[in-house]
Amino acid sequence: MKKIKKISILFITLSFVMFSCSSDDEGSPSSSNFGDFDLTVTGDFEANKSGFADFDGLDAFGSQTWEISMNDNNPSTVSLQFMLFSAIGDVNQPSPGTYEIGFEANSDSVFTAIYAHIPNGSFSETVEYSTLPHSEDMNYGGTLTITTSTDGRVSGNFQFTAAKTDNDFNVVGEISVSGEFNARKRMN
């Protein structure tokens, strides 16, 4: 389980790094280079968030990842990733359709969701919620519906539940998230 938590932190870090390498100088969510999202959170906290959304794939170190990433700024208060990850097979941009959100190792069709709640833009206070497995009797997840999937744009909607765990991997919190997105291809 500790390995899974380290992997989720690695994915968040990679997402921030990949976004920060973007070539857009304006940094505005309304810029034509960025997509957008709107979401609602209930559970441990309540929030309505919006910001920019992008997608990209990464093939590195013998593994492949494809993700949709959503972030806000000024200040940064949310980072949400939907990821496909495989260390043994190909992961390609999905076609329109409805996909499961949850966790399946080395899957090219089951998305893992990781929601980082960043209170008041303070990264040191970040709280992570995910659909990674927490225990055998608790399943977290939902659905991601992709309505458009082209080289430059992926759009759709989502709804899922995710858990927060303590250092011993006991579930200590839960959120439900729903929303829609219009993501643009990440500018590298």
Side-chain angles (χ1 to χ4, degrees):
M1 286 297 209
K2 289 182 182 181
K3 186 175 183 179
I4 291 173
K5 188 149 185 138
K6 287 180 184 177
I7 290 171
S8 67
I9 291 169
L10 174 66
F11 282 135
I12 290 173
T13 303
L14 283 173
S15 296
F16 282 126
V17 168
M18 286 191 287
F19 172 73
S20 66
C21 294
S22 172
S23 63
D24 180 38
D25 293 330
E26 296 177 26
S28 168
S30 61
S31 171
S32 62
N33 290 333
F34 290 113
D36 54 49
F37 76 91
D38 289 294
L39 64 78
T40 300
V41 180
T42 58
D44 286 357
F45 61 94
E46 294 190 8
N48 292 305
K49 301 288 182 178
S50 61
F52 54 88
D54 63 6
F55 68 91
D56 203 4
L58 178 65
D59 187 353
F61 308 109
S63 62
Q64 293 186 7
T65 304
W66 190 89
E67 75 170 8
I68 300 168
S69 181
M70 299 172 213
N71 299 278
D72 63 355
N73 61 2
N74 293 329
S76 294
T77 62
V78 62
S79 177
L80 172 59
Q81 279 79 39
F82 295 112
M83 292 169 282
L84 297 173
F85 174 82
S86 179
I88 61 171
D90 292 337
V91 175
N92 298 305
Q93 180 173 328
S95 301
T98 298
Y99 297 86
E100 180 183 349
I101 299 173
F103 176 78
E104 184 177 312
N106 297 309
S107 177
D108 64 353
S109 64
V110 177
F111 284 85
T112 299
I114 299 175
Y115 186 105
H117 173 54
I118 310 164
N120 303 314
S122 175
F123 287 99
S124 65
E125 297 177 30
T126 299
V127 179
E128 181 182 293
Y129 294 82
S130 77
T131 59
L132 292 168
H134 303 291
S135 72
E136 293 180 17
D137 60 338
M138 292 183 172
N139 291 319
Y140 290 91
T143 57
L144 171 70
T145 300
I146 295 175
T147 54
T148 304
S149 182
T150 67
D151 288 345
R153 183 171 159 237
V154 174
S155 61
N157 58 72
F158 54 88
Q159 63 79 28
F160 67 94
T161 58
K164 173 177 76 169
T165 59
D166 63 15
N167 291 337
D168 295 320
F169 299 101
N170 298 307
V171 173
V172 295
E174 183 178 296
I175 58 172
S176 294
V177 185
S178 61
E180 55 189 32
F181 63 93
N182 182 21
R184 301 290 180 176
K185 174 81 171 151
R186 185 169 295 139
M187 304 294 289
N188 294 324

